[in-house]
Amino acid sequence: MQATPSWNFVHCENGSEEMKWGPVGRAPLSGEPVELGEFVPNDRMYIHNRARPPQLDRRTWRLKLSGDALRRPRSFTYDELLAMPSVTVKRTIDCGANCAAFFPKLPPGGTDNRWLPVGYTQWHFGAVGAAEWTGVRAKDVLAAAGAESPMDVKFAGLDVIVNHSFPGGTTRYSQVASADKVLKDDTLLAYRMNGADLPVDHGYPLRLILSGWAAVTYIKWLGEIEVSKHRIAPTGLQTRHVLVGPAYPNPVPLSVGPVRSAIEHDPEITLHPGNITLRGRAWSGAGAIERVDVSVEKLVAPGRWVTEMPWRQAKLLSAPEPYMWVRFEVP
């Protein structure tokens, strides 16, 4: 695993390191504040692993393709993927459970009588980041294996997750996506992050990028792809990554990430009276953020807020781009 110095991360649980959101725009590197722009450096990107990363050697690693929608099931070496046309995209990746610490806690449930979602990763704003991803289009890899009229595609990682609620006590992390999504030009099998080889904690040697979807679907340490002419039932942890409740009579799998925004300051901060400029970032899995409006309210009594500053349009500090966050400021 990569080094996770305490000044960059908040330790949440084993395998989960949250990027400190407050300093995201002015990261204290080597004791000096440094302005961060569009991208989060590889060694500052949040980490969410459910098992110890597998030890893989790209010289012997293989990507195996199988399924009834392939005319030529085969394996790819790392060098064979490098030899294919490469694509680079800018993408913000946002954990499906980002901001979970702000959700209302559900009543006790289950045999241990816990208040949910306590016991799950209590992210604040820092389970998000933007990077430049380089890889090969998934559709090019499928075409090289002779894909014909696929309906569903299943991606499986090489990590082994110990979880006694699954048969045999272990499961592999996997994601099923419709062929319509997989065959889009910006669905990548990425091998580089910000111009460097993928770090181990971010999926080395290969990870899936499903542009706009919650990062919980971005399989790391990718090892197998099943391409089918039929629907593939989700397995393992994917069966739990669903929206449920009165608004969802049938569980809906997580896919497109929501609109989110956050002001860039530490969780506990005192702002003295006077003129200040608020800065922040906004992002969405549905496309580009074209406008940000900010309102400030003041807590005058428990549960009672009054408007301190009405809605005001913020100035964008970066150009709107699909699936990328924008930086903004408002005086």
Side-chain angles (χ1 to χ4, degrees):
M1 296 178 68
Q2 70 188 52
T4 52
S6 59
W7 58 82
N8 284 343
F9 295 93
V10 176
H11 178 68
C12 293
E13 59 187 47
N14 288 338
S16 298
E17 303 288 340
E18 179 175 354
M19 181 181 68
K20 288 185 179 178
W21 178 257
V24 68
R26 53 188 193 286
L29 305 176
S30 303
E32 295 294 329
V34 176
E35 180 73 17
L36 288 185
E38 279 190 298
F39 305 127
V40 172
N42 292 359
D43 61 356
R44 290 205 63 219
M45 182 72 78
Y46 81 95
I47 298 169
H48 193 195
N49 297 335
R50 294 161 183 81
R52 183 177 295 276
Q55 299 297 311
L56 301 174
D57 185 335
R58 68 187 185 191
R59 294 171 297 182
T60 56
W61 167 91
R62 297 293 184 269
L63 176 65
K64 300 176 182 178
L65 270 72
S66 63
D68 61 11
L70 297 181
R71 294 196 315 273
R72 299 182 298 276
R74 56 168 294 186
S75 295
F76 291 86
T77 66
Y78 189 83
D79 287 340
E80 285 173 334
L81 294 177
L82 289 183
M84 298 177 71
S86 66
V87 176
T88 298
V89 298
K90 301 175 182 179
R91 293 292 182 264
T92 298
I93 66 170
D94 185 17
C95 179
N98 197 18
C99 306
F102 305 111
F103 297 165
K105 302 299 183 287
L106 302 178
T111 57
D112 54 4
N113 208 37
R114 289 184 305 180
W115 282 73
L116 301 175
V118 171
Y120 298 86
T121 308
Q122 296 296 288
W123 305 109
H124 285 77
F125 291 117
V128 63
E132 202 171 53
W133 307 92
T134 300
V136 60
R137 292 185 181 93
K139 72 175 188 179
D140 292 344
V141 174
L142 267 59
E148 284 187 334
S149 304
M151 178 175 285
D152 273 356
V153 182
K154 180 177 181 178
F155 301 87
L158 295 173
D159 49 332
V160 177
I161 303 168
V162 177
N163 189 312
H164 298 295
S165 65
F166 292 106
T170 63
T171 187
R172 297 267 299 282
Y173 200 79
S174 62
Q175 176 68 39
V176 176
S178 69
D180 289 345
K181 178 63 176 176
V182 175
L183 297 177
K184 289 185 177 297
D185 285 342
D186 60 359
T187 295
L188 298 189
L189 308 182
Y191 43 72
R192 291 200 180 98
M193 178 179 176
N194 290 327
D197 290 344
L198 284 175
V200 171
D201 276 308
H202 296 289
Y204 175 89
L206 195 71
R207 79 175 296 174
L208 175 64
I209 302 291
L210 291 169
S211 295
W213 282 25
V216 70
T217 66
Y218 292 17
I219 303 302
K220 295 189 277 192
W221 314 296
L222 188 60
E224 297 180 6
I225 300 177
E226 178 186 354
V227 188
S228 177
K229 294 181 179 180
H230 311 283
R231 291 293 176 206
I232 301 176
T235 59
L237 294 179
Q238 191 190 355
T239 61
R240 302 178 182 181
H241 297 155
V242 294
L243 300 173
V244 297
Y248 304 96
N250 297 310
V252 175
L254 289 178
S255 57
V256 177
V259 175
R260 297 201 223 256
S261 61
I263 300 296
E264 292 177 343
H265 60 63
D266 296 308
E268 300 293 335
I269 188 172
T270 299
L271 301 176
H272 298 286
N275 295 328
I276 62 170
T277 297
L278 298 176
R279 293 183 176 85
R281 300 183 186 230
W283 60 97
S284 169
I289 296 290
E290 296 181 346
R291 173 172 169 155
V292 176
D293 292 89
V294 178
S295 177
V296 175
E297 294 179 328
K298 181 179 181 179
L299 181 66
V300 295
R304 181 168 169 248
W305 296 80
V306 297
T307 299
E308 188 83 355
M309 184 188 88
W311 289 103
R312 183 182 303 172
Q313 185 173 353
K315 175 184 177 183
L316 299 187
L317 303 177
S318 52
E321 294 185 58
Y323 316 120
M324 271 294 289
W325 58 18
V326 293
R327 292 172 290 135
F328 65 85
E329 68 177 20
V330 61

